[in-house]
Amino acid sequence: MTFVTTLRFTSGDRRVLDDVVNNIKQTAKRKGAELKGPHSKSPNAVRVPLSNCPGRDGGLIDSWRYTIYTRTIHIIGHSEFARATAGRDFPDDIHVEVDVERRTGAGRT
């Protein structure tokens, strides 16, 4: 039975996101951990309407636009490395989601 830890990173700052993911990738290589990714998702452009002042009658002005970037990596086995990586302190610009899945070999229940 193998545990696969999926880490999903999202951020509006592409440079910081890529720095964090590349650092994890290099650390995994040094420690001999099996890593899949990073997998990039298409950037998500977000638009937020803004008003001149609070309240219903404030009137709308140009929208605030920003882009959200996503990177996903999978750590196969190496639970100590996965736990240490998921528990790291990441920059405030980075949002991290962690999912752990138990996988069994073919033919096993």
Side-chain angles (χ1 to χ4, degrees), residues 51-59:
S51 64
N52 283 331
C53 60
R56 291 184 185 191
D57 301 327

Side-chain angles (χ1 to χ4, degrees), residues 15-109:
R15 185 189 57 77
V16 171
L17 179 65
D18 287 339
D19 286 347
V20 166
V21 170
N22 287 332
N23 181 278
I24 292 169
K25 188 176 178 179
Q26 290 170 357
T27 304
K29 189 174 186 178
R30 276 195 326 268
K31 300 222 180 224
E34 186 179 353
L35 186 83
K36 302 286 183 185
H39 305 288
S40 300
K41 187 177 171 186
S42 296
N44 184 17
V46 178
R47 196 184 74 151
V48 179
L50 300 173
S51 64
N52 283 331
C53 60
R56 291 184 185 191
D57 301 327
L60 295 177
I61 58 174
D62 288 337
S63 297
W64 175 44
R65 297 166 197 240
Y66 63 98
T67 304
I68 299 174
Y69 302 94
T70 304
R71 304 287 184 271
T72 304
I73 59 175
H74 305 280
I75 302 170
I76 294 94
H78 301 279
S79 59
E80 288 182 29
F81 173 74
R83 191 176 301 116
T85 301
R88 285 177 46 179
D89 286 330
F90 294 103
D92 291 339
D93 298 357
I94 304 284
H95 175 75
V96 183
E97 295 177 37
V98 180
D99 183 42
V100 179
E101 179 183 351
R102 186 174 82 178
R103 293 187 184 168
T104 57
R108 293 185 171 190
T109 57

